[in-house]
Amino acid sequence: MATVKKVLPRRLVGLATLRAVSTSSVGTFPKQVKIVEVGPRDGLQNEKNIVPTPVKIKLIDMLSEAGLPVVEATSFVSPKWVPQMADHAEVLKGIQKFPGVNYPVLTPNFKGFQAAVAAGAKEVAIFGAASELFTKKNINCSIDESLQRFDEILKAARAAGISVRGYVSCVLGCPYEGKISPAKVAEVTKKLYSMGCYEISLGDTIGVGTPGAMKDMLSAVLQEVPVTALAVHCHDTYGQALANTLTALQMGVSVMDSSVAGLGGCPYAQGASGNLATEDLVYMLAGLGIHTGVNLQKLLEAGAFICQALNRRTNSKVAQATCKL
Amino acid sequence: MGNVPCAVKHCLSYQQLLREHLWIGDSVAGALEPAQESAQVSGFPEYVKIVEVGPRDGLQNEKVIVPTDIKIEFINQLSQTGLSVIEVTSFVSSRWIPQVAAGATEVSVFGAASESFSKKNINCSIEESMKKFEEVVKSARHMNIPARGYVSCALGCPYEGNITLQKVTEVSKRLYGMGCYEISLGDTIGVGTPGSMKKMLESVMKEIPPRALAVHCHDTYGQALANILTALQMGINVVDSAVSGLGGCPYAKGASGNVATEDLIYMLNGLGVNTGVNLYKVMEAGDFICKAVNKTTNSKVAQASFNA
């Protein structure tokens, strides 16, 4: 059968000539990708309802079962600021520690670091930002001052044989400053790397980035830090997460952060979504023939479990299509 | 991100973010400012034509019947956005000539790369459908009316599963050969990923020049923009989408369907690719139709911008 179409007069006459297109960038991908699952921390932190400790523990166990190599378990932050993470010690002590799986925890300050170590943490994470204003509003100091504070943690971690992962927020834009220069991102990333972070996760905190911006930012950072030490943490607030992640992959980045069921909204845009859904990321990587070690079926089960517990719909398109939720 | 700051209310409003920080072009005609033009990312087309299928593919797959006056207002709003192609509704039977005489300026024919899909959808084999399309396209060309060809199931079929590259290429070549000026390759059930998109396009582009190709990606598994990005990198510069991501997927209950035009434009603007389309106006049209049919938008850009 045929349909009818009404074509309006074109504003732009003819098609512009194509710039030289290289297909080589399209096809080269890493053979393996490490997925860092941030649902239990970044995801749940942004959920309105407080999740009971046993539910958190079960979620993390299910995620470990699904084959994720890294599951960010919790944050050793003051309950005054983030009530959702008040049970941090209990969670870390209560989860099954699967062999070969890492369970990093956030430590915003030295006090948090000490509590994390006491609770058995083997890996911690610290948060820098590529924006002065964001740092000021977030932790009430400048970027340099924040790095000085983290230095204390890094020194103690090194002495205790604990790995430290660094995060850089606002790498593709800031909710206060707007545009962020790739040079600034490179500068902060380089500092964290030289201070001793084994890996730096570059976060598009408000999800405003697009593939071009991702490419420019990574090009600048790659001049200072080897690609093997980099990860990307894309938010899906404007639907760009997977496209941005693909771009990072094409540039050789092989560590990606995501959140089961796309848990976590965005505190800067009410009603907006936040993290990239792990299920959708795994689907793409599997389609590309890239090894992740993740069992999608078990991952879907973990997502279904937490959505039921939270009484909310999944943000994962794969889950929506598969589980008919 | 780390701990949530309390000073969130002091952050830039979405309008400021989008306008002042060059993430999207802001002009009535949708053309880029010189500063933005120079920011165009290499390896992508300078211009992409968006084919808006919301009023047809989108609304067709929505459960509610949309009153005619709403449809008309919706299309009128879309007409103000700068979109140069808007697919409107109405199935046409074999006696399509009166409809054409009523003012249609273009015709579309729908082929499929899957025998089973063809049988179940239009109750005939691929070969039989091609013969019928040949008649339609020939008559259309005789009246100087351009014909666009669609190939469904280009990256997978709900009945057959995997579809061979040869079949997609064969059907596309047939439609192009009979006179369709453009072939829209559809990932009907959204199962494609960048790897399968690349392989399929490489195969089809051996027979059909990229300027005569378009991609029609469904977002059922969240892969649409990543697949579109891949197509763009390979030289395709026509993309189908539906405002608000209208239209579910009849093969997966509760699943999403078309990629949202707003999210596509956002990505293209960020890449410095010209589209001629004003994102704000598209968002307004999307807001209108969602309110009219009482559904939440499927566009992430709209969700982030219009407070829930």
Side-chain angles (χ1 to χ4, degrees):
Chain A
M1 51 187 82
T3 65
V4 160
K5 187 190 303 176
K6 194 168 176 65
V7 177
L8 300 174
R10 290 185 192 169
R11 308 269 167 95
L12 294 145
V13 178
L15 298 173
T17 53
L18 299 181
R19 293 261 185 109
V21 170
S22 153
T23 57
S24 61
S25 64
V26 181
T28 43
F29 293 111
K31 292 210 162 39
Q32 209 156 270
V33 158
K34 177 176 85 175
I35 296 179
V36 175
E37 170 59 47
V38 299
R41 201 275 311 160
D42 193 0
L44 292 186
Q45 186 173 295
N46 281 303
E47 292 292 326
K48 277 187 297 249
N49 306 316
I50 299 292
V51 178
T53 309
V55 172
K56 282 186 185 127
I57 289 172
K58 177 145 191 225
L59 172 65
I60 293 168
D61 288 348
M62 286 179 87
L63 292 167
S64 301
E65 278 253 16
L68 287 154
V70 185
V71 182
E72 209 175 59
T74 186
S75 174
F76 280 78
V77 63
S78 163
K80 192 170 59 168
W81 297 119
V82 189
Q84 181 73 272
M85 299 284 127
D87 55 0
H88 40 236
E90 224 184 313
V91 168
L92 189 57
K93 287 182 186 155
I95 56 175
Q96 273 183 63
K97 307 273 186 2
F98 280 60
V101 182
N102 289 351
Y103 300 95
V105 298
L106 243 69
T107 52
N109 50 43
F110 193 70
K111 189 165 156 215
F113 171 75
Q114 288 171 315
V117 173
K122 299 279 186 288
E123 184 175 323
V124 299
I126 56 171
F127 263 79
S131 155
E132 286 290 356
L133 217 45
F134 187 85
T135 306
K136 189 102 197 135
K137 293 210 188 260
N138 214 22
I139 52 177
N140 201 23
C141 65
S142 71
I143 295 179
D144 277 341
E145 283 164 347
S146 74
L147 293 175
Q148 273 168 41
R149 292 181 194 177
F150 294 142
D151 206 35
E152 203 189 353
I153 297 177
L154 278 151
K155 286 198 165 78
R158 196 169 19 245
I162 288 172
S163 317
V164 182
R165 188 186 207 228
Y167 279 87
V168 181
S169 298
C170 300
V171 301
L172 297 179
C174 170
Y176 307 104
E177 284 185 22
K179 237 176 159 49
I180 295 292
S181 79
K184 190 72 192 174
V185 180
E187 185 193 313
V188 176
T189 308
K190 183 182 180 178
K191 284 201 175 120
L192 285 170
Y193 184 61
S194 59
M195 280 160 63
C197 292
Y198 78 93
E199 191 173 272
I200 312 330
S201 175
L202 305 164
D204 181 12
T205 305
I206 44 172
V208 287
T210 45
M214 172 63 83
K215 189 169 175 218
D216 287 345
M217 183 274 294
L218 283 176
S219 298
V221 175
L222 284 168
Q223 308 226 7
E224 308 289 348
V225 177
V227 74
T228 44
L230 294 177
V232 290
H233 181 114
C234 297
H235 277 194
D236 205 34
T237 321
Y238 293 86
Q240 308 297 305
L242 208 56
N244 290 341
T245 300
L246 180 67
T247 301
L249 262 177
Q250 286 174 339
M251 294 184 73
V253 176
S254 63
V255 183
M256 261 104 216
D257 299 359
S258 60
S259 174
V260 66
L263 284 180
C266 178
Y268 305 97
Q270 195 196 22
S273 67
N275 287 297
L276 167 63
T278 307
E279 298 93 319
D280 301 359
L281 173 62
V282 168
Y283 187 93
M284 181 177 80
L285 296 174
L288 283 166
I290 295 174
H291 178 80
T292 60
V294 179
N295 179 315
L296 182 55
Q297 190 47 48
K298 291 196 169 163
L299 179 62
L300 285 165
E301 284 164 22
F305 164 75
I306 192 63
C307 286
Q308 201 163 36
L310 287 168
N311 192 27
R312 59 158 280 176
R313 207 169 172 243
T314 180
N315 268 339
S316 155
K317 291 270 171 101
V318 171
Q320 283 169 26
T322 316
C323 308
K324 302 179 186 1
L325 286 169
Chain B
M1 90 188 99
N3 304 319
V4 177
C6 352
V8 167
K9 61 180 179 290
H10 299 300
C11 67
L12 302 171
S13 68
Y14 88 90
Q15 288 101 335
Q16 254 182 307
L17 266 180
L18 298 181
R19 267 202 183 93
E20 293 172 15
H21 298 280
L22 300 179
W23 287 315
I24 72 168
D26 177 32
S27 77
V28 174
L32 294 174
E33 307 272 337
Q36 289 163 315
E37 265 176 17
S38 64
Q40 200 222 320
V41 179
S42 67
F44 291 98
E46 277 176 21
Y47 168 72
V48 161
K49 176 177 86 174
I50 295 177
V51 175
E52 172 57 46
V53 301
R56 201 268 311 157
D57 190 359
L59 292 184
Q60 181 176 300
N61 278 306
E62 289 295 330
K63 278 186 287 247
V64 290
I65 306 289
V66 182
T68 310
D69 58 333
I70 303 273
K71 253 186 228 170
I72 290 172
E73 172 59 25
F74 179 43
I75 293 165
N76 283 342
Q77 286 198 23
L78 289 174
S79 309
Q80 316 279 344
T81 61
L83 284 161
S84 61
V85 184
I86 300 169
E87 228 180 42
V88 302
T89 188
S90 110
F91 278 110
V92 186
S93 72
S94 51
R95 278 176 292 196
W96 56 276
I97 295 166
Q99 277 83 355
V100 171
T105 53
E106 192 168 310
V107 173
S108 299
V109 291
F110 279 77
S114 152
E115 283 293 353
S116 313
F117 189 87
S118 194
K119 270 254 149 50
K120 290 203 194 268
N121 217 28
I122 52 176
N123 202 25
C124 62
S125 69
I126 295 179
E127 183 57 39
E128 285 163 347
S129 72
M130 290 295 135
K131 290 205 166 73
K132 291 186 189 176
F133 297 152
E134 258 161 23
E135 280 176 46
V136 171
V137 175
K138 203 158 105 179
S139 310
R141 291 186 71 201
H142 199 62
M143 294 158 117
N144 279 324
I145 293 171
R148 191 186 206 228
Y150 282 81
V151 179
S152 298
C153 301
L155 296 177
C157 169
Y159 310 107
E160 290 183 14
N162 261 338
I163 296 293
T164 66
L165 301 174
Q166 291 101 296
K167 202 70 194 174
V168 182
T169 307
E170 190 188 301
V171 174
S172 307
K173 189 178 176 183
R174 192 77 187 270
L175 287 169
Y176 186 61
M178 68 175 74
C180 292
Y181 76 95
E182 193 170 270
I183 312 299
S184 174
L185 303 162
D187 182 11
T188 306
I189 45 171
V191 289
T193 47
S196 60
M197 171 64 83
K198 180 180 182 232
K199 290 197 178 92
M200 185 273 292
L201 285 176
E202 271 170 351
S203 177
V204 174
M205 277 160 61
K206 288 193 175 115
E207 306 290 343
I208 302 175
R211 59 177 158 71
L213 294 173
V215 289
H216 184 114
C217 297
H218 277 191
D219 204 36
T220 321
Y221 293 84
Q223 310 295 305
L225 276 185
N227 291 342
I228 290 167
L229 184 70
T230 301
L232 290 174
Q233 286 174 328
M234 294 184 71
I236 303 299
N237 64 354
V238 183
V239 181
D240 299 359
S241 60
V243 74
S244 295
L246 282 179
C249 178
Y251 306 99
K253 187 177 152 171
S256 67
N258 285 299
V259 67
T261 304
E262 299 93 317
D263 300 0
L264 170 64
I265 295 173
Y266 185 94
M267 181 175 81
L268 294 173
N269 282 345
L271 284 167
V273 172
N274 207 345
T275 60
V277 185
N278 184 311
L279 176 55
Y280 297 120
K281 294 200 170 168
V282 172
M283 281 164 63
E284 279 168 4
D287 193 45
F288 165 77
I289 194 65
C290 285
K291 286 192 166 102
V293 303
N294 192 27
K295 67 160 277 178
T296 25
T297 180
N298 271 335
S299 156
K300 292 272 172 101
V301 171
Q303 281 168 29
S305 310
F306 294 114
N307 289 330

